[in-house]
Amino acid sequence: MSVNTDRYQTAAARYFEAWNATEPEALSKAVAEAWAPEGTYTDPLAEVSGHAQITAVIAAAHEQFPGFVFRPLGPVDGHHDTARFGWELVNETDGTAPVAGFDVVTLSEDGRIRQVLGFLDRVPTGA
């Protein structure tokens, strides 16, 4: 593990703040704070770049899973400009987590995300 874990922890915290923002203005602000302007997001269901497209992917996730929040699963690990962490999508009402995965992020010099490569470990049928 890297000796500079604060950088990775901060990037992950901003990432989760963006994924959990539901109001349009707060979401746009959180995405701009988490991602570099040319940042990308790629997972099995999406491949987008730039703040507007990343914001749209997050908003679509909230439309599909209203009342859910993204929470970290385990520690954030990193080295050089790369970090990885697990996450789950949790229903705030009953605590179930039908979706889970892990992401590998590459950071820019200012600590914002340049690239996300997401992997889905658990997805409900029909999602």
Side-chain angles (χ1 to χ4, degrees):
M1 179 145 61
S2 171
V3 294
N4 190 8
T5 57
D6 286 349
R7 182 172 189 229
Y8 310 121
Q9 295 286 346
T10 299
R14 288 180 182 159
Y15 178 85
F16 285 107
E17 185 175 329
W19 276 97
N20 286 321
T22 56
E23 297 300 320
E25 188 174 313
L27 175 54
S28 293
K29 181 180 177 188
V31 167
E33 290 176 358
W35 270 270
E38 72 283 356
T40 63
Y41 177 86
T42 304
D43 72 14
L45 307 173
E47 184 174 12
V48 297
S49 63
H51 291 170
Q53 291 181 359
I54 293 166
T55 298
V57 164
I58 293 171
H62 286 288
E63 286 178 22
Q64 185 175 3
F65 294 97
F68 284 72
V69 294
F70 287 87
R71 293 202 181 134
L73 265 180
V76 178
D77 186 22
H79 62 81
H80 297 86
D81 290 332
T82 305
R84 66 180 177 166
F85 49 86
W87 54 266
E88 62 184 352
L89 185 60
V90 179
N91 182 323
E92 289 187 294
T93 303
D94 65 14
T96 59
V99 183
F102 77 92
D103 292 342
V104 177
V105 301
T106 304
L107 303 177
S108 61
E109 285 190 25
D110 69 0
R112 289 190 291 171
I113 297 168
R114 193 171 50 210
Q115 178 185 48
V116 174
L117 299 174
F119 297 83
L120 301 173
D121 296 326
R122 183 173 62 236
V123 180
T125 304

